[in-house]
């Protein structure tokens, strides 16, 4: 069996897994599977190496990734889950299964996700390190959870089911203060939970792209549900917030700064936390403030306990 045939079989299995979760009502798992597959397809579409796929087939794969993101967004929407139905997504199964021989038109009028370079955590800092006068060595780590393709709708996950005696954390990201806030294109925040070694303890989540900018602030106003009960987070863990924006000249999304909140800071009510220069130091050993100006990340925490 050729490598490309194995790859297609893996894609098809992932698609089936996601739609099965979706049909069973296991939405968190379905969203994860859709996002993993969308990322894999995007990487293939954007690959500049010699490929087993024609440009037309790559375009079809790009549209397929768009549909996966649309279904993910529909599942995460608080208004309606009818934007892009499961039945619609299932119509695409013959395409992913037979991509090498599929020669019909794509059943939905969608466009491939814009060809933006997808970077693993830490990569964007390496590309831009020459721009930083005070650059420090990256302290990122291989992720235990799959990275996601940032989408305009974000990749936020629903709240976990409650458990007796256990505490769930909702963090509302209200706004971030930046001196050049108005110049940031497609800004969003990646939220992750790391242990002292920088290893992921939760799936990574992206907020939707913020559209409201006011003076030195970018307003988000979104709730992020931490995907682990407070009592189950390891000692020394921290919640990280990486502010990212798109750089059209370089055609990739870059981390501008980051902030984090340690376990002793988790308490109900508002909190304002400092911003640090990139690269993101998940081990919290070499921290450099972004600015001396009073510009911060503004959050509001809610704790839910049964």
């Amino acid at each position: 069996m050729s490598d490309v045939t194995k790859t297609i079989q893996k894609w098809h299995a992932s698609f089936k897994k996601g739609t099965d979760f979706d049909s069973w009502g296991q939405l968190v798992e379905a969203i994860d599977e859709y996002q993993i597959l969308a990322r894999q397809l995007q990487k293939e579409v954007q690959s500049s190496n010699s490929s087993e796929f024609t440009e037309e087939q790559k375009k079809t794969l790009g549209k397929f990734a768009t549909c996966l993101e649309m279904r993910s967004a529909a599942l995460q929407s608080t208004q309606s889950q009818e934007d892009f139905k499961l039945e619609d997504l299932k119509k695409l199964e013959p395409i992913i299964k037979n991509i090498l021989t599929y020669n019909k038109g794509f059943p939905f009028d969608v466009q491939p996700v814009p060809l933006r370079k997808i970077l693993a955590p830490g990569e964007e800092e390496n590309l831009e390190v020459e721009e930083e006068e005070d650059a420090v060595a990256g302290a990122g780590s291989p992720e235990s959870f799959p990275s996601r393709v940032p989408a305009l709708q974000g990749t936020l996950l629903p709240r976990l089911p409650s458990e007796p005696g256990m505490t769930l954390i909702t963090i509302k990201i209200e706004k971030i203060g930046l001196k050049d806030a108005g110049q940031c294109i497609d800004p969003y925040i990646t939220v992750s939970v790391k242990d002292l070694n920088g290893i992921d303890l939760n799936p990574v989540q992206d907020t939707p792209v913020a559209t409201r900018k006011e003076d030195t602030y970018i307003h988000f106003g979104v709730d992020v549900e931490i995907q682990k009960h407070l009592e189950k987070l390891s000692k020394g863990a921290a919640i990280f917030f990486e502010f990212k924006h798109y750089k059209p000249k370089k055609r990739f999304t870059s981390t501008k700064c980051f902030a984090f909140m340690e376990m002793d800071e988790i308490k109900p009510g508002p909190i304002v936390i400092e911003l640090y220069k990139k690269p993101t130091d998940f081990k919290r050993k070499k921290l450099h403030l972004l600015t001396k100006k009073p510009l911060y990340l503004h959050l509001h925490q809610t704790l839910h306990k049964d």
Side-chain angles (χ1 to χ4, degrees), residues 1-173:
M1 188 186 299
S2 70
D3 287 346
V4 71
T5 305
K6 287 179 186 175
T7 298
I8 293 168
Q9 285 186 351
K10 283 181 184 175
W11 289 345
H12 181 231
S14 177
F15 178 78
K16 281 287 292 173
K17 195 174 173 185
T19 53
D20 282 347
F21 281 137
D22 201 341
S23 62
W24 299 333
Q26 292 179 240
L27 305 190
V28 174
E29 291 84 354
I31 291 165
D32 268 346
E33 203 61 45
Y34 291 152
Q35 292 285 353
I36 291 166
L37 180 54
R39 178 174 175 80
Q40 290 171 347
L41 297 180
Q42 274 289 93
K43 284 179 78 172
E44 184 60 48
V45 169
Q46 297 185 23
S47 172
S48 56
N49 302 330
S50 58
S51 173
E52 299 285 345
F53 300 99
T54 65
E55 287 306 309
E56 198 58 38
Q57 288 165 349
K58 282 187 174 186
K59 193 179 289 184
T60 300
L61 290 173
K63 290 181 177 182
F64 200 103
T66 297
C67 291
L68 290 168
E69 290 200 358
M70 287 168 66
R71 180 59 187 159
S72 294
L75 291 177
Q76 293 172 76
S77 170
T78 53
Q79 297 168 354
S80 166
Q81 293 188 4
E82 303 307 310
D83 301 334
F84 194 81
K85 298 179 182 178
L86 176 58
E87 306 90 83
D88 294 331
L89 194 60
K90 283 185 172 180
K91 291 175 187 173
L92 303 179
E93 187 173 356
I95 298 177
I96 199 69
K97 191 176 179 182
N98 307 299
I99 184 65
L100 292 178
T101 55
Y102 186 82
N103 56 9
K104 298 175 185 175
F106 200 80
F108 302 105
D109 183 17
V110 297
Q111 294 302 314
V113 175
L115 286 181
R116 294 184 176 184
K117 189 164 184 181
I118 303 169
L119 300 171
E123 278 189 299
E124 66 269 20
E125 289 91 347
N126 295 336
L127 283 170
E128 288 206 332
V129 74
E130 72 278 1
E131 294 182 12
E132 294 297 320
E133 292 178 2
D134 300 315
V136 294
S141 63
E143 284 193 287
S144 308
F145 294 87
S147 297
R148 296 161 180 257
V149 181
L152 289 176
Q153 303 93 343
T155 56
L156 296 180
L157 297 168
R159 189 181 305 165
L160 293 176
S162 58
E163 289 184 22
M166 292 294 198
T167 308
L168 287 167
I169 311 160
T170 302
I171 299 175
K172 179 183 279 294
I173 301 177

Side-chain angles (χ1 to χ4, degrees), residues 121-220:
E123 278 189 299
E124 66 269 20
E125 289 91 347
N126 295 336
L127 283 170
E128 288 206 332
V129 74
E130 72 278 1
E131 294 182 12
E132 294 297 320
E133 292 178 2
D134 300 315
V136 294
S141 63
E143 284 193 287
S144 308
F145 294 87
S147 297
R148 296 161 180 257
V149 181
L152 289 176
Q153 303 93 343
T155 56
L156 296 180
L157 297 168
R159 189 181 305 165
L160 293 176
S162 58
E163 289 184 22
M166 292 294 198
T167 308
L168 287 167
I169 311 160
T170 302
I171 299 175
K172 179 183 279 294
I173 301 177
E174 294 183 336
K175 61 184 180 180
I176 187 171
L178 297 165
K179 62 182 180 182
D180 56 351
Q183 297 170 27
C184 295
I185 300 172
D186 289 353
Y188 67 96
I189 291 175
T190 295
V191 182
S192 58
V193 184
K194 311 275 186 181
D195 68 10
L196 273 170
N197 294 314
I199 303 298
D200 278 305
L201 301 175
N202 272 198
V204 177
Q205 302 181 63
D206 294 319
T207 70
V209 167
T211 54
R212 186 179 155 216
K213 299 168 188 174
E214 188 178 60
D215 298 326
T216 54
Y217 288 104
I218 296 173
H219 294 262
F220 287 89

